[in-house]
C-alpha cells in the first residue's frame, strides 16, 4: 500500500510489462475507487458483505472476481496492460484506474474503441442531476417514488430536452400480475439493469402520462468525476444485478454510481434495511453533493392550477370549448375579455392533450388542438399566475414511526405501543408527501390493559390508500387495500381476525376538505368462530381535512357478511404535527356487531425516525 502511494505521489510511471507486487495489488484493491468500481458491499446490506453486488459473470475477468477484489484487479491488469486490447474498450474506467495508479503513459489508449467513443460523444458532460418523480400508487415499483440520474450538457434548464436519463430498474416480462410482481420484487426474483434513454421520454412518462410531480437535484460532481461515472456506466451495459424492492433498488444503485465519481462521499457506509427514494435525496444532501433543487409539476397539476384561476362561468365555457372549439366564434365566448378568452382556451387545450395523452395520434384531436391553440394565440395573455412549489420530499417526516399512547375502552384503561416500518398514512404530517396518498408496511400495535394484560391490537402487513381527487377535467379512481390482523368485534366481545379488504372509490377536493366513498369487499377468519372464512361487502363513506398544521378524518364503514351478520365501524381522528418528526394523534371509534357496540378512545405521541 505504501509503495503504491509513494509511486503515485512522485508520479512514478511503471512500464506495462512490469507486474505490480502483491502488496501493490492488495493496496490498490483496497482503495475506495476500486471497491466502488466493483460494487463491493461495504456493509450497506447484510447479504454478502465484502462481495460484489453484481450478479453477472460477464462483469468479471477473474473466476472469483465477485468475491475477491484483489484477484479481479490482477486479472484486469493482465488484460488491460496490452496495447490495443479489446478489454480496454469493455472496461474504460478500470483502465483509467490502473493507468493512474501505475503511471501508465500512452497516447490515446482507447483509440481502437470505436463503439465506445461514438457512444461517449453522445453523453452530455455538463452536470449530473438526481431526479425524483413523486410517488405513483398505481405502480407497485413506484409507490414510494422513483429516482434516476440525468446527464446535462449545461446547467441551463431549457437544455434538459437534450439530456440523457440514467435509470436502474427490474427487468420483467410484463406477464406477472401485481401481487406476483411484488412477491418477486421482495424476494429478489428479478434481475436489475442500468439503461440510458433520452430524458424527454422520462418527462413524458412521469409528468404527462402518470401525472407525477418531479424534483430535480443538481449535484456538484466536476468534469473529472463525471468522466468516472460515464466510463463506468459503459461498463455496466447489459450487466445484471439482483433487484430487491426494499434495499437493492433504483435508489441504492444510483448512490453506488455517484460513489464511483466521488468514492470518498459517505453514501454507502451505513447498514440500511430499506432504501427509500426520499432517503437517497437526504443522503446526497448530507454528503454536500446537492447544489440546486428544481420543481417540475405534472401536467395534471399545471391544468388544475390553470383551472383554479377560472370562475364557474369560465370553467363551464372551457368544458364546452373542449367539446367543440368552434364555439370560439359564438357570442357567448366573445363576451369574455380577451385575456380571459386566452386562459379559457388554454385550459381547454391542456385538458384535450391530457385526455388523449396515450394511444395513437388521432386526426380529429389534432385538428381540435390546433384550433384551440389558435384561439390562445390570437388573445393576449394575462399576467402569469405562478404555481406555488409544494414542500420538497426531503422536508417531510422520517420514514419509520414509533408511538406510545393511553386510552380507554368501555371504561377499561389501556396503554398502547406502536411501531411502523414504513412510511406514511393519510393523516400523518403532510409536508413533503402526496396529499391523499398513504402507504404503510409492517405497522404493529400492542395494547396493555387492566383486564387482558399485553395483547396484539393490530398488525398491518400492508395498508395502501389512495384518495385521488377528481377535478373538472381529471377523473382518477381512488382505491385501497388493507391486509393483516386486527381485533374485530364478534359475538360476545372482540377477537383477533386475519383479514384482507379493499375496493375502488372516488374522492374530491374542496380546499383541503376531501370527501370520499369506497365500495368494500372483505374476507376474514377468526379462530374459533364460524364460518372459518367470512366474506363481506358494503361501503365506506368518509372525509379527511388535510392542512399543514392539522389533519382530520371521519369515516363510517358498513359491511354485511354471507353468514348473516353485519358490522359497522365509525371513527374520528385528529393529528397535529408538533415538529417535523413528532405529532400527537387522538381518535375515537365505535365498533358494532349485530347491535353490540364497543367504544374506545385514545391519544398517542408519534415519533418519526430513520
Amino acid at each position: 500500500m505504501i509503495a503504491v502511494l509513494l509511486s503515485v505521489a512522485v508520479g512514478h510511471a511503471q512500464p506495462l510489462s512490469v507486474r505490480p507486487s502483491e502488496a501493490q495489488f492488495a493496496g490498490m484493491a483496497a482503495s475506495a475507487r476500486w471497491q466502488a468500481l466493483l460494487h463491493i458491499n461495504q456493509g450497506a446490506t447484510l447479504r454478502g458483505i465484502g462481495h460484489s453486488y453484481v450478479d453477472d459473470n460477464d462483469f468479471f475477468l477473474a473466476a472469483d472476481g465477485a468475491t475477491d477484489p484483489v484477484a479481479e484487479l490482477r486479472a484486469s491488469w493482465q488484460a488491460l496492460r496490452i496495447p490495443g486490447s479489446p478489454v480496454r474498450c469493455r472496461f474504460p474506467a478500470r483502465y483509467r484506474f490502473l493507468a493512474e495508479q501505475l503511471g501508465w503513459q500512452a497516447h490515446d489508449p482507447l483509440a481502437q474503441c470505436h463503439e465506445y467513443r461514438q457512444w461517449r460523444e453522445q453523453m452530455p458532460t455538463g452536470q449530473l442531476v438526481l431526479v425524483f418523480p413523486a410517488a405513483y400508487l398505481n405502480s407497485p415499483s413506484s409507490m414510494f417514488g422513483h429516482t434516476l440520474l440525468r446527464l446535462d450538457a449545461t446547467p441551463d434548464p431549457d437544455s434538459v430536452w437534450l439530456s440523457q436519463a440514467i435509470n436502474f430498474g427490474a427487468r420483467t416480462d410484463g406477464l406477472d400480475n401485481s401481487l406476483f410482481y411484488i412477491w418477486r420484487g421482495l424476494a429478489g426474483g428479478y434481475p436489475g439493469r442500468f439503461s440510458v434513454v433520452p430524458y424527454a421520454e422520462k418527462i413524458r412518462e412521469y409528468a404527462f402520462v402518470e401525472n407525477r410531480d418531479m424534483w430535480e437535484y443538481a449535484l456538484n460532481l466536476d468534469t473529472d468525476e463525471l468522466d468516472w461515472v460515464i466510463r463506468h456506466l459503459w461498463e455496466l451495459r447489459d450487466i445484471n444485478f439482483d433487484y430487491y424492492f426494499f434495499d437493492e433498488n433504483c435508489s441504492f444503485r444510483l448512490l453506488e454510481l455517484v460513489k464511483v465519481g466521488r468514492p470518498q462521499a459517505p453514501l454507502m457506509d451505513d447498514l440500511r434495511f430499506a432504501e427509500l427514494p426520499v432517503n437517497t435525496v437526504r443522503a446526497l444532501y448530507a454528503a454536500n453533493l446537492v447544489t440546486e433543487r428544481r420543481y417540475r409539476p405534472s401536467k395534471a397539476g399545471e391544468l388544475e392550477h390553470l383551472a383554479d384561476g377560472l370562475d364557474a362561468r369560465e370553467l363551464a365555457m372551457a368544458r364546452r370549448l373542449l367539446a367543440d372549439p368552434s364555439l370560439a366564434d359564438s357570442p357567448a365566448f366573445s363576451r369574455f375579455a380577451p385575456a380571459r378568452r386566452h386562459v379559457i382556451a388554454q385550459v381547454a387545450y391542456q385538458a384535450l392533450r391530457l385526455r388523449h395523452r396515450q394511444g395513437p395520434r388521432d386526426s380529429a384531436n389534432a385538428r381540435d388542438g390546433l384550433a384551440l391553440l389558435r384561439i390562445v394565440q390570437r388573445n393576449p395573455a394575462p399576467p402569469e399566475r405562478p404555481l406555488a412549489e409544494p414542500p420538497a420530499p426531503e422536508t417531510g417526516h422520517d420514514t419509520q414511526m414509533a408511538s406510545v399512547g393511553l386510552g380507554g375502552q368501555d371504561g377499561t384503561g389501556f396503554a398502547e405501543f406502536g411501531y411502523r416500518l414504513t412510511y406514511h398514512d393519510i393523516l400523518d404530517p403532510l409536508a413533503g408527501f402526496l396529499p391523499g396518498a398513504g402507504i404503510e408496511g409492517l405497522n404493529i400495535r400492542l395494547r396493555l390493559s387492566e383486564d387482558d394484560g399485553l395483547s396484539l391490537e393490530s398488525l398491518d402487513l400492508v395498508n395502501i390508500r389512495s384518495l385521488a381527487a377528481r377535478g373538472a377535467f381529471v377523473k382518477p379512481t381512488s382505491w385501497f387495500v388493507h391486509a393483516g390482523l386486527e381485533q374485530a368485534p364478534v359475538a360476545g366481545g372482540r377477537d383477533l381476525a386475519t383479514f384482507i379488504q379493499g375496493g375502488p372509490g372516488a374522492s374530491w377536493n374542496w380546499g383541503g376538505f376531501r370527501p370520499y366513498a369506497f365500495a368494500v369487499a372483505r374476507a376474514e377468519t377468526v379462530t374459533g368462530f364460524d364460518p372459518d372464512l367470512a366474506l363481506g361487502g358494503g361501503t365506506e363513506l368518509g372525509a379527511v381535512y388535510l392542512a399543514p398544521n392539522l389533519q382530520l378524518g371521519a369515516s363510517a364503514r358498513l359491511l354485511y357478511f354471507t353468514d348473516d351478520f353485519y358490522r359497522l365501524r365509525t371513527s374520528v381522528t385528529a393529528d397535529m404535527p408538533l415538529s417535523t418528526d413528532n405529532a400527537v394523534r387522538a381518535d375515537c371509534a365505535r365498533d358494532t356487531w349485530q347491535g353490540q357496540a364497543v367504544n374506545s378512545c385514545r391519544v398517542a405521541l408519534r415519533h418519526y425516525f430513520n
Side-chain angles (χ1 to χ4, degrees):
M1 179 66 179
I2 295 175
V4 172
L5 294 175
L6 286 175
S7 68
V8 172
V10 301
H12 175 65
Q14 188 163 312
L16 297 173
S17 58
V18 176
R19 180 185 178 85
S21 67
E22 284 303 305
Q24 282 180 295
F25 275 130
M28 290 189 291
S31 70
R33 180 85 68 187
W34 185 251
Q35 298 277 313
L37 286 172
L38 292 190
H39 297 260
I40 299 297
N41 178 1
Q42 305 291 330
T45 63
L46 295 175
R47 293 184 297 273
I49 294 176
H51 299 169
S52 175
Y53 284 116
V54 178
D55 185 34
D56 196 319
N57 290 334
D58 290 343
F59 187 71
F60 302 102
L61 297 174
D64 55 351
T67 58
D68 189 343
V70 179
E72 185 62 19
L73 184 59
R74 287 194 208 97
S76 297
W77 171 83
Q78 186 67 36
L80 293 170
R81 70 188 180 87
I82 303 171
S85 167
V87 182
R88 289 187 180 184
C89 306
R90 180 70 187 85
F91 295 107
R94 292 192 195 185
Y95 176 82
R96 180 182 170 182
F97 174 81
L98 282 168
E100 290 186 359
Q101 291 289 318
L102 300 175
W104 290 350
Q105 296 177 355
H107 174 69
D108 204 0
L110 305 180
Q112 74 278 16
C113 306
H114 303 298
E115 187 181 1
Y116 166 68
R117 292 161 71 100
Q118 186 178 15
W119 174 85
R120 179 62 191 260
E121 288 175 359
Q122 299 171 358
M123 290 294 108
T125 57
Q127 72 173 358
L128 188 66
V129 176
L130 180 88
V131 181
F132 180 4
Y136 182 56
L137 296 189
N138 287 339
S139 170
S141 63
S142 298
M143 287 182 174
F144 300 100
H146 180 60
T147 50
L148 62 149
L149 290 170
R150 189 184 76 208
L151 282 167
D152 296 341
T154 73
D156 182 0
D158 293 333
S159 72
V160 299
W161 299 101
L162 301 176
S163 299
Q164 294 288 329
I166 303 170
N167 193 55
F168 180 83
R171 295 182 66 83
T172 69
D173 55 16
L175 300 177
D176 295 340
N177 59 43
S178 294
L179 289 178
F180 198 56
Y181 179 75
I182 291 173
W183 166 248
R184 291 188 65 178
L186 291 172
Y190 292 114
R193 285 187 185 178
F194 283 93
S195 61
V196 179
V197 298
Y199 185 60
E201 294 181 11
K202 291 298 178 184
I203 293 178
R204 185 180 184 282
E205 176 184 348
Y206 294 130
F208 199 63
V209 176
E210 297 181 351
N211 288 325
R212 299 164 68 175
D213 291 345
M214 298 171 70
W215 300 85
E216 302 168 347
Y217 303 86
L219 309 183
N220 58 12
L221 270 63
D222 60 26
T223 302
D224 183 69
E225 292 169 325
L226 283 178
D227 178 71
W228 281 107
V229 171
I230 295 171
R231 284 173 181 253
H232 186 57
L233 191 60
W234 172 264
E235 296 177 343
L236 296 175
R237 291 189 320 158
D238 302 325
I239 294 299
N240 290 323
F241 293 78
D242 287 334
Y243 183 92
Y244 292 88
F245 273 153
F246 274 137
D247 49 19
E248 295 184 47
N249 52 26
C250 61
S251 298
F252 188 91
R253 292 283 169 252
L254 295 184
L255 286 179
E256 284 190 314
L257 194 57
V258 172
K259 199 168 173 61
V260 168
R262 188 173 295 176
Q264 69 276 20
L267 296 174
M268 308 294 296
D269 299 342
D270 299 328
L271 174 68
R272 70 281 311 273
F273 181 77
E275 185 66 48
L276 298 181
V278 66
N279 289 340
T280 299
V281 175
R282 289 170 177 152
L284 293 171
Y285 269 105
N288 296 316
L289 279 156
V290 179
T291 59
E292 185 182 19
R293 180 182 69 212
R294 287 185 178 277
Y295 169 62
R296 187 184 297 275
S298 70
K299 294 303 177 186
E302 290 180 343
L303 173 59
E304 183 180 358
H305 174 68
L306 270 177
D308 285 346
L310 302 180
D311 62 26
R313 199 166 56 95
E314 294 169 334
L315 199 58
M317 176 53 73
R319 290 198 193 95
R320 294 176 61 195
L321 208 58
L322 172 62
D324 182 6
S326 69
L327 288 176
D329 299 325
S330 68
F333 186 70
S334 300
R335 280 195 286 271
F336 290 100
R340 302 313 299 167
R341 293 202 293 262
H342 177 101
V343 181
I344 293 170
Q346 192 177 17
V347 168
Y349 172 70
Q350 292 202 10
L352 180 73
R353 290 197 64 200
L354 197 64
R355 180 176 295 177
H356 301 287
R357 61 188 183 276
Q358 291 179 291
R361 185 177 184 276
D362 181 272
S363 58
N365 294 330
R367 181 196 62 221
D368 288 350
L370 182 60
L372 291 170
L373 267 183
R374 285 174 174 158
I375 302 169
V376 172
Q377 290 169 351
R378 69 174 177 247
N379 289 283
E384 187 175 353
R385 195 169 61 92
L387 175 60
E389 180 178 312
E394 70 275 12
T395 64
H397 64 74
D398 285 337
T399 54
Q400 298 183 64
M401 188 274 294
S403 66
V404 58
L406 297 172
Q409 178 177 300
D410 289 338
T412 301
F414 63 78
E416 271 198 2
F417 310 94
Y419 167 75
R420 185 180 68 198
L421 174 64
T422 189
Y423 136 87
H424 177 79
D425 73 28
I426 285 179
L427 297 180
D428 275 329
L430 192 59
F433 291 85
L434 184 66
I439 309 173
E440 297 180 276
L442 195 58
N443 185 16
I444 185 171
R445 284 193 291 131
L446 299 175
R447 177 173 292 187
L448 181 63
S449 70
E450 298 171 0
D451 294 340
D452 300 326
L454 186 64
S455 61
L456 176 64
E457 180 64 16
S458 67
L459 171 60
D460 294 335
L461 298 178
V462 62
N463 187 6
I464 304 172
R465 181 164 288 231
S466 171
L467 300 183
R470 300 168 72 85
F473 300 99
V474 181
K475 312 287 185 186
T477 299
S478 297
W479 60 276
F480 82 102
V481 61
H482 186 188
L485 298 90
E486 67 177 5
Q487 294 288 342
V490 294
R494 302 162 75 235
D495 216 320
L496 197 61
T498 303
F499 72 96
I500 181 170
Q501 61 188 6
S507 67
W508 300 263
N509 184 24
W510 300 320
F513 178 70
R514 195 169 294 211
Y516 64 87
F518 283 120
V520 182
R522 176 177 171 114
E524 69 173 32
T525 178
V526 181
T527 303
F529 286 85
D530 290 329
D532 292 336
L533 179 65
L535 302 176
T539 187
E540 176 180 328
L541 303 176
V544 295
Y545 175 73
L546 305 176
N549 299 318
L550 181 66
Q551 297 82 46
L552 303 173
S555 67
R557 179 187 302 159
L558 178 62
L559 297 176
Y560 286 92
F561 287 80
T562 52
D563 202 43
D564 199 26
F565 68 90
Y566 76 89
R567 188 179 289 148
L568 172 64
R569 176 180 175 83
T570 56
S571 66
V572 292
T573 305
D575 191 285
M576 180 179 293
L578 303 176
S579 64
T580 301
D581 287 321
N582 293 284
V584 61
R585 176 170 295 188
D587 64 87
C588 289
R590 178 180 175 85
D591 288 296
T592 304
W593 182 91
Q594 293 291 80
Q596 303 173 23
V598 178
N599 301 287
S600 62
C601 286
R602 60 185 172 174
V603 60
L605 288 172
R606 297 160 68 89
H607 174 65
Y608 306 88
F609 62 99
N610 281 326

